[in-house]
Amino acid sequence: MQQHNVLILDFGSQYTQLIARRVRELNIYCEIHPYNKIPENLENFKAVILSGSPSSVRSEQAPHPDLSEIRGKKPLLAVCYGAQYLAHFSDGLVAPSNTREYGRANLSFIKNEEVFFKDISEGSQVWMSHSDTIKELPKNGVLLASTNDVKNAAYKIEGETTFAIQFHPEVYHSTDGTQLLKNFLIDIAEVNQNWTPNSFVESTINNLKETVGDDKVILGLSGGVDSTVAGVLLHKAIGENLHCIFVNNGLLRKNEYESVLKQYEGMGLNVKGVDASQRFLTALAGISDPETKRKAIGRVFIEVFDDEASKVQNAKWLAQGTIYPDVIESVSVNGGPSATIKSHHNVGGLPDFMKLKVVEPLRMIFKDEVRRVGKSMGIDKELLGRHPFPGPGLAIRILGDITSEKVRILQEVDAVFINGLKEHGLYDSVWQAGAILLPVNSVGVMGDERTYEKVVALRAVESTDGMTADWVNLPYEFLQKISNSIINNVKGVNRVVYDISSKPPATIEWE
Ligand code: XMP
């Protein structure tokens, strides 16, 4: 069955990615494109969704794209700003709302639109978030549903397959939102539901074979989910022509370098382990400033990687584990990556060295899809379920300057904490966890001896994407056990604290 593609035109809403997530959950392939870069190959898209926007259609600076190649020619669903946009430019009227229209509302059907509202009940909860409202429908508009505060909550255009809704079907609080997207995409637009991990693996392998041919490809593995899944896909496509490099920066978790390397070898990957711990530690000596640390690590990583990569004769490609949210962000309506709060060195990519072409097998999929793809290729469950771990590793969890002794202490503490989470069945319910070595000593007493040793903080957060996060309410008994175990087993630590700050305003990492 042919794979259909859905186009999501992004007007800059914070929820645009969520629309894509919901569509993909229906096993339908979709792509987000900014409103000012409508793809030329529109024939490849079976249906179009217009997103919301923080702008007001009445403003001259607001997104006002020419939709003449889409409107009336393809099934179209306009969400929030999209719905207002259609009204504003087709003889309707959009004006500021008199009442605040944020949050929950309930649908009342005005017209019995059987297919569009299939399996959605009268009174269904929807989520509103807008400050303008549609006072008059566009030409040929037919009112389908209202809510208490919003008369024109859903409408269609007579004579077209165009539907418009003022609420956000993509957010969790719109209880039947996914059903509505399904009704529109499957029953109205007749889009195929054949976007699955297996179909992705098959088509990606074919594409990689075609793109890369007999060329050699270099890939930096990090032990994380994205680079591993990218590696396995490439390995399936080009076998031994994939040359993987796994660098030990000396700032990984305890025994991680050895165990991950072994796992990679077990998976049949052509991988070269490079232990550059000493080189990193030397470069970091005496540096306390977080950003300077990150830059030093980034620089040494590139040097080490460059050294190793240049040993691979005739390499033509550099593979990267870039995933879709990074791509969306870099081409976003707002003109690129949001303000740098911390310089995540691996997001900037590698410099233009060796003139390698870049291949990114995961650039069109989301994190949860990366995991599903990994699972469908038989990658170990434990590896796929690993918590995210920052590129600079423990360096940004050792506050102040870094020494090999501090790395050792933190590795021990971290291992007690992470193993404890696993043993108590808590690891999978936590999004990310780790320990932080604080740059203070505190007084303690062990036996009859006064001690003056290090303090460590434990951090465990729940999150979906790391953008916002909340601390996890770990059971007291668990924290008590871990604290005892750390103080009794890790020499140099006499106090353990637990971080109870959410993000924002705190960040997940302390540096
Ligand atoms: P923050 O501390 O910004 O972290 O709330 C959000 C997520 O990003 C990870 N992180 C990094 N990842 N290089 C990385 O590869 C970095 O420099 C870096 N700093 C933070 C962090 O572990 C969390 O998952």
Side-chain angles (χ1 to χ4, degrees):
M1 211 195 310
Q2 193 200 346
Q3 183 185 293
H4 288 154
N5 194 352
V6 171
L7 169 64
I8 299 169
L9 267 196
D10 181 21
F11 290 118
S13 160
Q14 55 172 331
Y15 298 136
T16 306
Q17 277 199 39
L18 273 184
I19 303 182
R21 299 289 304 270
R22 295 286 104 84
V23 174
R24 296 273 182 97
E25 279 163 20
L26 293 169
N27 293 333
I28 293 173
Y29 184 67
C30 61
E31 288 174 12
I32 298 177
H33 290 260
Y35 74 89
N36 49 1
K37 291 191 192 117
I38 299 181
E40 282 173 11
N41 57 344
L42 278 174
E43 67 280 3
N44 290 356
F45 296 92
K46 181 94 170 131
V48 180
I49 299 178
L50 306 181
S51 85
S53 172
S55 311
S56 162
V57 276
R58 296 171 297 107
S59 149
E60 272 184 28
Q61 288 82 41
H64 291 158
D66 173 9
L67 297 179
S68 55
E69 289 307 310
I70 294 173
R71 200 48 219 277
K73 298 185 172 155
K74 287 181 188 291
L76 177 66
L77 176 67
V79 173
C80 193
Y81 177 94
Q84 297 175 357
Y85 183 66
L86 295 187
H88 186 70
F89 284 100
S90 305
D91 303 332
L93 180 67
V94 176
S97 319
N98 297 331
T99 51
R100 280 169 65 84
E101 292 176 353
Y102 292 98
R104 293 176 176 79
N106 298 90
L107 280 185
S108 301
F109 299 136
I110 304 297
K111 186 173 177 303
N112 184 12
E113 190 68 21
E114 274 174 19
V115 184
F116 192 57
F117 290 134
K118 190 177 87 179
D119 294 335
I120 300 176
S121 323
E122 175 82 18
S124 175
Q125 178 180 295
V126 294
W127 189 258
M128 293 287 184
S129 178
H130 56 108
S131 44
D132 276 356
T133 202
I134 301 168
K135 297 270 190 217
E136 282 167 34
L137 293 181
K139 196 167 143 216
N140 298 331
V142 179
L143 184 61
L144 301 181
S146 303
T147 65
N148 257 351
D149 293 322
V150 180
K151 178 171 172 249
N152 296 314
Y155 66 86
K156 70 173 182 180
I157 308 272
E158 202 66 79
E160 293 177 16
T161 334
T162 298
F163 291 81
I165 48 184
Q166 182 60 74
F167 53 90
H168 289 269
E170 67 276 22
V171 306
Y172 170 79
H173 297 286
S174 286
T175 339
D176 294 313
T178 304
Q179 180 66 42
L180 189 112
L181 289 170
K182 191 171 167 197
N183 294 344
F184 169 72
L185 290 170
I186 297 161
D187 296 326
I188 295 172
E190 299 180 338
V191 177
N192 288 339
Q193 283 177 286
N194 51 7
W195 164 256
T196 61
N198 284 338
S199 70
F200 172 82
V201 171
E202 201 185 303
S203 62
T204 306
I205 290 175
N206 288 338
N207 286 343
L208 286 171
K209 278 184 180 158
E210 216 168 278
T211 318
V212 173
D214 292 329
D215 292 347
K216 286 187 188 165
V217 178
I218 296 173
L219 168 68
L221 291 172
S222 71
V225 179
D226 302 341
S227 65
T228 305
V229 173
V232 174
L233 272 169
L234 276 153
H235 177 70
K236 282 184 185 290
I238 62 168
E240 291 292 296
N241 273 343
L242 173 68
H243 293 254
C244 303
I245 297 170
F246 179 39
V247 176
N248 183 6
N249 57 13
L251 301 156
L252 302 175
R253 295 195 138 113
K254 189 179 172 188
N255 299 331
E256 192 173 23
Y257 176 61
E258 296 75 13
S259 68
V260 170
L261 194 56
K262 216 158 137 195
Q263 250 177 325
Y264 282 144
E265 285 163 355
M267 287 152 75
L269 292 178
N270 175 8
V271 56
K272 166 110 186 266
V274 184
D275 189 353
S277 312
Q278 210 43 56
R279 202 161 154 182
F280 280 90
L281 280 180
T282 307
L284 284 167
I287 301 180
S288 298
D289 174 64
E291 288 302 285
T292 316
K293 282 184 193 173
R294 278 192 172 80
K295 292 206 169 90
I297 293 170
R299 176 174 46 79
V300 178
F301 179 81
I302 288 163
E303 287 168 13
V304 173
F305 193 81
D306 197 358
D307 283 355
E308 288 307 318
S310 60
K311 291 179 192 158
V312 181
Q313 300 287 310
N314 292 324
K316 294 263 177 357
W317 298 84
L318 177 72
Q320 291 188 325
T322 317
I323 62 172
Y324 202 29
D326 306 332
V327 175
I328 297 170
E329 181 69 5
S330 66
V331 296
S332 75
V333 170
N334 308 322
S338 41
T340 308
I341 295 171
K342 297 175 187 179
S343 56
H344 290 195
H345 82 257
N346 49 344
V347 175
L350 291 165
D352 181 23
F353 78 114
M354 287 172 60
K355 302 275 171 284
L356 294 178
K357 293 179 272 184
V358 173
V359 56
E360 298 171 319
L362 309 177
R363 63 179 279 115
M364 295 315 279
I365 62 175
F366 291 104
K367 188 85 181 181
D368 57 319
E369 293 173 323
V370 175
R371 291 208 166 90
R372 282 165 60 204
V373 164
K375 188 165 169 234
S376 85
M377 292 191 297
I379 297 178
D380 189 52
K381 198 168 136 254
E382 201 179 318
L383 205 158
L384 292 176
R386 293 180 80 182
H387 289 172
F389 187 67
L394 299 182
I396 55 170
R397 295 184 183 168
I398 295 173
L399 308 196
D401 70 323
I402 295 162
T403 62
S404 53
E405 175 61 4
K406 289 183 187 173
V407 173
R408 183 201 63 79
I409 293 178
L410 190 57
Q411 281 180 332
E412 296 295 334
V413 172
D414 179 79
V416 173
F417 185 33
I418 298 296
N419 292 339
L421 285 169
K422 287 182 180 162
E423 281 158 21
H424 288 78
L426 295 165
Y427 185 85
D428 291 338
S429 55
V430 169
W431 190 77
Q432 185 171 15
I436 300 99
L437 186 66
L438 306 190
V440 283
N441 279 28
S442 81
V443 173
V445 51
M446 283 194 195
D448 289 332
E449 295 281 315
R450 175 189 186 272
T451 59
Y452 188 56
E453 294 180 330
K454 289 270 169 257
V455 182
V456 291
L458 304 181
R459 181 118 169 96
V461 296
E462 44 195 23
S463 175
T464 47
D465 49 15
M467 303 292 284
T468 57
D470 209 353
W471 58 280
V472 180
N473 205 338
L474 291 173
Y476 279 179
E477 301 72 36
F478 171 75
L479 288 171
Q480 190 182 29
K481 270 194 189 136
I482 295 299
S483 162
N484 270 344
S485 178
I486 290 172
I487 293 172
N488 288 335
N489 294 301
V490 185
K491 211 166 149 264
V493 175
N494 69 358
R495 193 176 293 268
V496 176
V497 297
Y498 187 53
D499 182 350
I500 52 167
S501 333
S502 60
K503 174 184 180 177
T507 48
I508 295 176
E509 305 294 346
W510 280 40
E511 284 199 335

